[in-house]
Amino acid sequence: MLFGDYEFQTTQYGLSGSSGVHPCLHCHITKAAMQLEPSQRETASTSRSLESLSSDHSAFTTAGSRLPDAKKFHNCIRPVILPVPIDCAIIPVLHLDLGIFPWIYDALVKECQMLDLKLAAAGGPSSDDRRQSAV
């Protein structure tokens, strides 16, 4: 397992950090695509691995190691320091709170709303009816 804040983890895996075009530690998504809803993204991003990091870094080095070109190599500007598989890197809690949790919460709310609509269409009680009967 690899614990640490995002800066530590990106340094460990040789990435340029959160300001890069490809800032995600786990996949090759671009920063611009991160701002879109998953359904609005043009293509699914591929996962990173120790092998892809090594390959991207080798290509970056072969191309002259110019930092302005880092985005062409998924922002892999240094070799991996410790070969800990990426799926063993623990996401910092702050990133969970700010990124994943709101997305999961919003998905749960949408699912509950859809269930409520289905119940209403089937003649069952709506959430408003259930709330009023509970009072």
Side-chain angles (χ1 to χ4, degrees):
M1 298 286 190
L2 179 71
F3 297 91
D5 66 7
Y6 194 72
E7 182 179 357
F8 170 78
Q9 289 187 8
T10 57
T11 299
Q12 148 62 33
Y13 288 107
L15 302 178
S16 60
S18 61
S19 63
V21 172
H22 301 273
C24 182
L25 181 63
H26 297 275
C27 70
H28 295 112
I29 193 168
T30 63
K31 189 179 272 190
M34 288 174 135
Q35 304 305 314
L36 301 173
E37 292 288 327
S39 61
Q40 296 174 333
R41 296 176 187 160
E42 291 181 18
T43 58
S45 64
T46 56
S47 297
R48 288 193 195 262
S49 65
L50 292 175
E51 293 79 21
S52 72
L53 290 168
S54 177
S55 174
D56 285 338
H57 177 256
S58 292
F60 176 70
T61 303
T62 301
S65 300
R66 291 179 18 90
L67 287 180
D69 293 335
K71 62 186 172 192
K72 298 175 185 174
F73 307 98
H74 301 114
N75 293 92
C76 295
I77 61 171
R78 293 178 295 274
V80 173
I81 297 171
L82 296 171
V84 176
I86 292 177
D87 59 352
C88 292
I90 307 303
I91 300 172
V93 175
L94 177 63
H95 292 274
L96 289 173
D97 288 345
L98 296 177
I100 295 172
F101 178 78
W103 183 82
I104 292 171
Y105 179 79
D106 290 344
L108 175 64
V109 168
K110 285 178 186 175
E111 287 297 319
C112 289
Q113 289 170 340
M114 294 294 289
L115 179 60
D116 197 37
L117 291 172
K118 287 178 184 178
L119 282 171
S126 69
S127 58
D128 291 333
D129 295 338
R130 290 189 300 272
R131 272 187 288 238
Q132 288 176 355
S133 67
V135 175

